[in-house]
Amino acid sequence: NAGVTQTPKFQVLKTGQSMTLQCAQDMNHNSMYWYRQDPGMGLRLIYYSASEGTTDKGEVPNGYNVSRLNKREFSLRLESAAPSQTSVYFCASSEAPQHSYEQYFGPGTRLTVT
Amino acid sequence: LAKTTQPISMDSYEGQEVNITCSHNNIATNDYITWYQQFPSQGPRFIIQGYKTKVTNEVASLFIPADRKSSTLSLPRVSLSDTAVYYCLVGDVYGGATNKLIFGTGTLLAVQP
């Protein structure tokens, strides 16, 4: 099992450009999440999907959109990138959205917006 | 959601036992306590979870006093490879779509030879 995979690993964008970060999991998990982590900071939840067909905002959703394409895939889109979105983005999945279920994280996407 | 407070950093030496304490004064009845570990340039990894008293697995122990307002992650005989950031999280075990993990800034554990 690959677990949680993310593409790309690195990306540089110019201000105003758009891009989609891809995430896939092969653990048959129901819930998926997108976080961002700024230097020296903890992770902050952007959006999550408790189950296929549902998405909801997290702590910092502004400037992002998500799509739960199917049970395996959850993508994060930046429509018009801004320097403030320079960060490391982590995707995660869990069997269920309750806190008692362990979240499995991908390796991250390092995004720089100039 | 219960807020957690942890030390920003801790230092230790190889072979020592390390205890990292987390304060969560507003913990609710349905809340569980979970610890994650994060190495540089990697996503966090689940270490241990508990509700009360003591939980032990192959990696760590978690001590939770009766009032549950704090918890202590214990790492026995740390090695250089245990250098990482450790996050304490508190969340509603029955939470559905509204349940979210709040990571905070964590505790940076630096293990020296």
Side-chain angles (χ1 to χ4, degrees):
Chain A
N1 285 350
V4 179
T5 57
Q6 293 183 236
T7 55
K9 286 187 169 52
F10 300 93
Q11 184 70 50
V12 178
L13 291 178
K14 293 189 189 309
T15 297
Q17 288 184 319
S18 63
M19 79 161 295
T20 299
L21 281 65
Q22 306 287 354
C23 173
Q25 51 92 8
D26 62 2
M27 295 172 282
N28 200 35
H29 284 168
N30 291 303
S31 304
M32 297 186 74
Y33 313 80
W34 275 106
Y35 294 88
R36 62 176 286 175
Q37 185 171 35
D38 299 327
M41 305 286 287
L43 283 77
R44 292 184 291 171
L45 183 65
I46 305 171
Y47 271 93
Y48 65 101
S49 171
S51 60
E52 187 179 356
T54 70
T55 61
D56 207 346
K57 296 178 181 179
E59 188 183 355
V60 288
N62 291 344
Y64 306 94
N65 286 300
V66 290
S67 295
R68 183 75 183 265
L69 304 169
N70 47 54
K71 192 171 186 179
R72 288 188 63 248
E73 298 172 289
F74 189 38
S75 63
L76 177 72
R77 182 160 178 85
L78 287 69
E79 291 291 351
S80 179
S84 62
Q85 294 178 304
T86 293
S87 189
V88 180
Y89 291 85
F90 290 101
C91 176
S93 71
S94 64
E95 190 175 330
Q98 286 83 356
H99 179 92
S100 54
Y101 290 92
E102 175 181 349
Q103 289 196 12
Y104 294 81
F105 286 79
T109 294
R110 189 173 299 273
L111 175 66
T112 301
V113 183
T114 61
Chain B
L1 294 168
K3 178 177 166 59
T4 61
T5 303
Q6 306 174 231
I8 293 173
S9 63
M10 295 182 68
D11 293 322
S12 183
Y13 292 94
E14 281 192 293
Q16 289 189 331
E17 179 185 72
V18 171
N19 295 310
I20 305 174
T21 297
C22 178
S23 171
H24 28 79
N25 290 320
N26 296 323
I27 192 168
T29 303
N30 292 339
D31 285 344
Y32 266 54
I33 300 153
T34 309
W35 287 78
Y36 281 79
Q37 173 192 56
Q38 184 178 27
F39 296 114
S41 301
Q42 293 186 27
R45 184 177 69 126
F46 174 93
I47 301 175
I48 198 166
Q49 183 180 82
Y51 183 79
K52 61 181 180 180
T53 62
K54 177 183 174 183
V55 179
T56 297
N57 60 24
E58 64 279 4
V59 176
S61 294
L62 179 59
F63 298 93
I64 306 169
D67 66 5
R68 305 200 324 123
K69 292 184 184 300
S70 66
S71 59
T72 299
L73 174 72
S74 181
L75 305 172
R77 296 182 298 283
V78 295
S79 64
L80 295 176
S81 63
D82 292 314
T83 292
V85 177
Y86 293 82
Y87 297 97
C88 165
L89 296 88
V90 172
D92 185 346
V93 67
Y94 295 113
T98 56
N99 189 42
K100 310 175 184 70
L101 291 187
I102 304 296
F103 272 81
T105 53
T107 297
L108 173 60
L109 172 65
V111 180
Q112 299 175 29

